[in-house]
Amino acid sequence: MSFVTAHVLDASAGRPATGVAVTLSDASGGVLAEAVTNDDGRVTDLGPDALEPGTYEVRFASGAHFAAQGVACFHPYVPVVFTVEAGQAHYHVPLLLSPFAYTTYRGS
């Protein structure tokens, strides 16, 4: 398991969101890792084993996910910007997604 993991649940379908492209970037926009959610809507390998303290972004390609299902979507992507602090062992970024809304929090 990498330092950053993610999980996407499609609230409108009531199931995990499979095949969602997920990107981890640093504060300057440099891409550190790219992955796609598995059948359980999870990404367990997103980037390195550790990150320096600072600001990072996990971007979820929500628009492409819904377009593949023929569903209109308000958000072409969902950017989750967060701060990595020294001494932390892991960051989990869950996303509860629907075509017109989303919510996120720091998971465990």
Side-chain angles (χ1 to χ4, degrees), residues 60-65 73-78:
F60 299 90
S62 54
H65 168 72
C73 177
F74 183 67
H75 303 282
Y77 59 87
V78 174

Side-chain angles (χ1 to χ4, degrees), residues 1 12 18 32 48 66 90 96 103 108:
M1 181 171 60
S12 64
T18 62
L32 302 175
F66 288 114
H90 178 247
L96 183 60
T103 190
S108 58

Side-chain angles (χ1 to χ4, degrees), residues 21-87:
V22 182
T23 305
L24 173 65
S25 303
D26 61 21
S28 67
V31 174
L32 302 175
E34 296 175 313
V36 176
T37 57
N38 63 19
D39 288 343
D40 195 33
R42 296 180 183 276
V43 172
T44 58
D45 188 15
L46 187 62
D49 293 335
L51 291 173
E52 294 295 320
T55 302
Y56 295 87
E57 177 185 275
V58 174
R59 182 176 292 213
F60 299 90
S62 54
H65 168 72
F66 288 114
Q69 300 173 46
V71 176
C73 177
F74 183 67
H75 303 282
Y77 59 87
V78 174
V80 179
V81 179
F82 63 100
T83 303
V84 169
E85 297 177 356

